Amino acid sequence: MTFTIVSRRGLLRLSGLALVAGVASCTTTPKMSSTPSDGQDETAAALPLVNQLRAKNGLPPLSINPAASAAAIFQAKRMASAGKMAHLMGMTDSFGARVKASGVQLPAAENIGVGQKSVDGIVQAWINSPHHLENMLGRYSGVGVAVAHNPSSNNWPYWAMVLSN
């Protein structure tokens, strides 16, 4: 009986060591392309569409927030550079720290997308997604929207929207 308990403890220790070794081997930053991605502010084009949606829902309009635009450009560019759509890239990534570094005041929200060829297309995709729609109808006053492309990721359009106060 004691032998079984010791064996289980030993197995648990080995499992723990394997887990630590596995986590230690994970990269904490995404593999970025050596080809830089472009980034374009699309806030002015998206704003009327988002404000029309908000008006239909009895909400006040949003305005262009330069800090949110900078945060959206940064996020779109890093997704395009990585060739990956994700809010967080790597174990140490933090949405709050990332947007605050651009000057965005919290609370804030982020919508992302990939593949839509136009501002109309991405805004409609976000409207069709319950969680993204909830963000656009949230208690925010400012917005920034951006798109980025990267030749090494097939020039797919990577989109980001940051909503803030």
Side-chain angles (χ1 to χ4, degrees), residues 29-120:
T29 56
K31 182 178 179 183
M32 297 295 188
S33 165
S34 60
T35 307
S37 62
D38 69 351
Q40 183 174 334
D41 188 341
E42 292 287 350
T43 309
L47 189 61
L49 302 171
V50 176
N51 281 340
Q52 182 180 30
L53 169 70
R54 289 176 64 85
K56 285 181 186 176
N57 287 275
L59 297 169
L62 300 176
S63 60
I64 294 173
N65 179 320
S69 294
I73 290 169
F74 179 80
Q75 178 63 6
K77 287 177 72 171
R78 79 184 197 141
M79 289 188 303
S81 292
K84 170 181 163 180
M85 184 182 78
H87 291 283
L88 302 176
M89 295 187 195
M91 293 174 51
T92 60
D93 199 6
S94 163
F95 169 73
R98 177 169 41 87
V99 297
K100 282 172 62 176
S102 293
V104 173
Q105 292 183 5
L106 299 178
E110 178 177 77
N111 290 349
I112 58 175
V114 65
Q116 294 77 12
K117 305 268 188 241
S118 67
V119 171
D120 291 345

